[in-house]
Amino acid sequence: NNGGGIYNLESSPTLTNTIITNNSAIYGGGIYNNSSSPIITNTSISNNSANNSGGGIYNNSSSPIITNTTISNNSAYNGGGGYNYASSPIITNTTISNNSCSFYGGGIYNSTSSPIITNTNISNNSTNNDGGGIYNYYSSPTLTNVTISNNSTNNDGGGIYNEYDSSPTINNSIIWG
């Protein structure tokens, strides 16, 4: 059902030098966080899938700290790399790449969320609908020193798609290709 690799419920584990791969679930193919704040460092979250949302990681009312991590080659219906619902993850020095989804947010889907993303590369993600790199729905992420490149969509917002009162803050970043 939730969290093919790891399911955190009101928990805050520390994951360091870890590989989470080849898992599947309905929500959160690799990791599902529910009211949790794990610390994830030097970790690879790859080749996971979710039938619904969050191929790599799904955050529900959670605030994980993700550093020096690779989220790649994951797939889902929404949020191929990650799905944030009412969450505020802090993502630093991370690569989010080669993820895919059928509907919204090839790299990341933010719904009523305010992630802080710094020194991160969001590239080569894809979706069949909107937001190849990032899809924001009622969300206000802060991006600093972020490269969003070579993401693709069959519809709108190859790099970023903002909908319904979304107001991202983008500082010193590159949105290209």
Side-chain angles (χ1 to χ4, degrees), residues 116-120 142-147 169-173:
I116 297 172
I117 304 172
T118 308
N119 298 328
T120 292
T142 300
L143 288 73
T144 305
N145 300 326
V146 173
T147 298
T169 300
I170 303 171
N171 302 302
N172 198 39
S173 295

Side-chain angles (χ1 to χ4, degrees), residues 135-170:
Y135 179 87
N136 293 314
Y137 180 81
Y138 288 107
S139 294
S140 300
T142 300
L143 288 73
T144 305
N145 300 326
V146 173
T147 298
I148 300 169
S149 65
N150 296 317
N151 299 285
S152 63
T153 177
N154 290 333
N155 206 8
D156 296 322
I160 301 174
Y161 186 92
N162 299 303
E163 187 170 17
Y164 298 115
D165 293 325
S166 291
S167 54
T169 300
I170 303 171

Side-chain angles (χ1 to χ4, degrees), residues 24-100:
S24 63
I26 294 172
Y27 294 91
I31 301 172
Y32 186 102
N33 295 311
N34 190 356
S35 300
S36 297
S37 298
I39 297 171
I40 302 169
T41 307
N42 297 328
T43 293
S44 174
I45 303 169
S46 65
N47 300 308
N48 301 288
S49 64
N51 290 345
N52 195 307
S53 301
I57 186 169
Y58 187 103
N59 297 307
N60 179 30
S61 300
S62 296
S63 299
I65 297 172
I66 302 169
T67 307
N68 297 327
T69 292
T70 299
I71 302 170
S72 65
N73 298 307
N74 301 289
S75 63
Y77 183 72
N78 284 312
Y83 189 101
N84 298 307
Y85 178 76
S87 295
S88 299
I90 297 172
I91 303 169
T92 307
N93 297 328
T94 291
T95 298
I96 301 169
S97 67
N98 299 308
N99 300 288
S100 63

